[in-house]
Amino acid sequence: MGSLGDNLSRMAGGDTNNPLLDPEEFRRQGHMVVDFIADYYKNIEKHPVMSQVEPGYLKTRLPTSAPFYPESIETILSDIENHIVPGITHWQSPNYFGYFPSSGSMAGFLGEMLATGFNVVGFNWMSSPAATELESIVMDWLGEMLKLPKSFLFSGNGGGVLQGTTCEAILCTLVAARDRALRIIGNDNIGKLVVYCSDQTHCAFKKASQIAGIHPNNFRVIPTTLSSSFSMCPKILQKTIIDDVEAKLVPIFLLATIGTTSTSAVDPLIPLCKVAKKYEMWVHVDAAYAGSICICPEFRHFINGVEGANSFSLNAHKWFFTTLDCCCLWVKDPAALTQSLSTDPEYLKNKATESKQVVDYKDWQLALSRRFRSLKLWLVLRSYGVEKLRGFLRSHVKMAKLFQEFVMGDERFEIVVPINFATVCFRIKSNIPLNTERMNGMIRPMVSINEINSKLMDSVNNSGRIYMTHSIVGGIFLLRFAVGASLTEDKHIVEAWNVIKQHADVILNNMNNHNQ
């Protein structure tokens, strides 16, 4: 039996002079972790998709303080299996249909491993030239795949940057638009600035507006309707802007969405950009979800009109097989970002920056530090190629249409809005017989159709067999079935529909029995 020092050295990773990064011990533990992850994916369908734990569960399972002495990787992995995995909602499960996909891939995982292994902090070109230059190249590659106008690419006069999330992309572009306006009207007039979106726009825009100092009363929300599939109306937008201008306010920013969170609605870019141009407003196109599939020629028309926008973003970590986080943002005028976001302290000065021949991405984002995100996106693009990526995306759309056929074939259900991509919005119909009661001389349903659909979603999710999420639009509670997990196949769609039908049968039969 070895000494305490020998045991501590072995458990911490080998040589006590270099306890954290011993190459051979890292190799041994790394193989164990890869095997653990591979086994996780091999057996992922055995886990309930939605975690079944109660709030505070982990505190009862783990010690109240950190260990004083090192613990082995074997012990730690055992605890992950027994305590952490039960508390995970399994986004990579083939039976996950909630929110939007967070699709992974082998290439994405390996790219993330490489980026983490190098662990560079690529805030400017000098800090790691490869990190900067690969990002610029990859962003032009993807921009060309999307057939973005040359003005958005480095090969034109624009450029692309990898942010963490769309929230950051929106805030950066809004700050640029804000400062562009304030340079003309003066900083004292920030209270006059107005921004615009629809009632389907992601809540990230509201948060960004608060952070950017836009007065809450100047956050304009354009109402949408079911009859227009919840897309923003250019005429209502223009009327709203005219009213603001007449009130001596200053319109500065419009956020248009391609694939809204609730229903995958698409805002009409061509007329919206035309309205915004009259008032010299910045237009940002948020295609966080649906932008990825626009690499397919038959879907490219959804971003027609993007040439009239100032910036465009999509999340490669949603539906492009590149692990979180990886938001792709393109801008026509990089100087607008750098004027608002750049810093130039003495300790960051260097000849490369002063030469004006390099990109310093620290000036394109909120934080100084930044990860080597382009490595994983590069691996995804190279490992699968354009045609195979298109095939993956098309297969998800095909599966969503299969699910839609199941819904339409059951007279108890209905599609709420037309399907644009791979998210199906559906519900139990509002015209099914409902339990009634007499109140104040009037007969009314005991349970609303919205409550029935909410009950159906909770019942399905609590089963652990599949996972869906919901939204409420136009007063309608709808179920969202978003196809996009990398492991999902046709058989999972069939099984998901069977699960939904089974739970609907129980809920509706209980209602009928109560009526009798």
Side-chain angles (χ1 to χ4, degrees), residues 37-48:
I37 295 171
D39 287 339
Y40 167 74
Y41 277 95
K42 183 178 181 180
N43 299 305
I44 195 167
E45 291 189 67
K46 295 179 181 179
H47 301 292

Side-chain angles (χ1 to χ4, degrees), residues 456-498:
L456 173 60
M457 185 188 72
D458 289 342
S459 177
V460 167
N461 288 347
N462 289 334
S463 75
R465 296 170 66 187
I466 67 170
Y467 182 70
M468 299 184 296
T469 51
H470 80 285
S471 190
I472 298 178
V473 291
I476 299 171
F477 184 104
L478 56 83
L479 305 174
R480 299 172 66 265
F481 188 88
V483 182
S486 303
L487 295 173
T488 302
E489 300 175 5
D490 285 0
K491 64 181 181 180
H492 298 107
I493 305 300
V494 174
E495 177 60 21
W497 177 242
N498 287 334

